[in-house]
Amino acid sequence: MKLEGNISEAGTSSQPALGVVQEDELDPRVGMEHIMEPMEEVEEVCIDDEDPTKVIRVGKNLPPVVKEKIISTVKASSDVLAWSYSDMTGISPRVICHALNIDPKADPIRQK
């Protein structure tokens, strides 16, 4: 494991200071928080008046012609879009379900 950051920020405790990135040899993403945010302001547009859960987000700064083209295309194609996993008929649940490969005979261990 490799710690990066200012030593004065880390202090003397065993816990790394805020803002210090921990890097794991096998997975460099360990300890890092990734939050995906839109690059610009977006507005939500309801695609189906009968189903308010069918919403898309389009950029507020798009030219009106482009925005209307996107909205009309999605509305015209909304019957073929998957809005939830239950809309994806023909896909085996074994493909879309996550499972942890854990030995059922193993004793649970609390990490410190």
Side-chain angles (χ1 to χ4, degrees):
M1 183 183 326
K2 181 174 93 177
L3 294 177
E4 296 177 357
N6 188 341
I7 293 177
S8 64
E9 290 175 356
T12 57
S13 71
S14 61
Q15 296 291 328
L18 293 176
V20 175
V21 176
Q22 292 185 3
E23 186 175 304
D24 188 279
E25 291 177 6
L26 298 176
D27 189 355
R29 299 171 295 173
V30 171
M32 298 178 76
E33 185 176 334
H34 294 283
I35 299 174
M36 298 297 293
E37 303 224 358
M39 296 185 70
E40 63 177 283
E41 289 188 42
V42 294
E43 65 179 272
E44 290 190 350
V45 178
C46 185
I47 297 302
D48 187 352
D49 295 331
E50 296 175 14
D51 187 357
T53 63
K54 293 183 179 180
V55 175
I56 64 169
R57 293 181 182 99
V58 293
K60 282 187 175 182
N61 299 330
L62 286 174
V65 174
V66 173
K67 190 184 300 185
E68 285 304 315
K69 179 76 171 168
I70 291 171
I71 294 169
S72 65
T73 302
V74 172
K75 281 184 177 183
S77 305
S78 67
D79 61 328
V80 296
L81 295 173
W83 296 95
S84 70
Y85 73 90
S86 62
D87 293 339
M88 295 183 269
T89 57
I91 297 179
S92 169
R94 295 188 70 186
V95 173
I96 59 173
C97 291
H98 176 72
L100 297 175
N101 189 11
I102 298 175
D103 184 0
K105 295 180 241 164
D107 293 328
I109 298 173
R110 176 178 281 171
Q111 295 182 349
K112 295 181 182 182

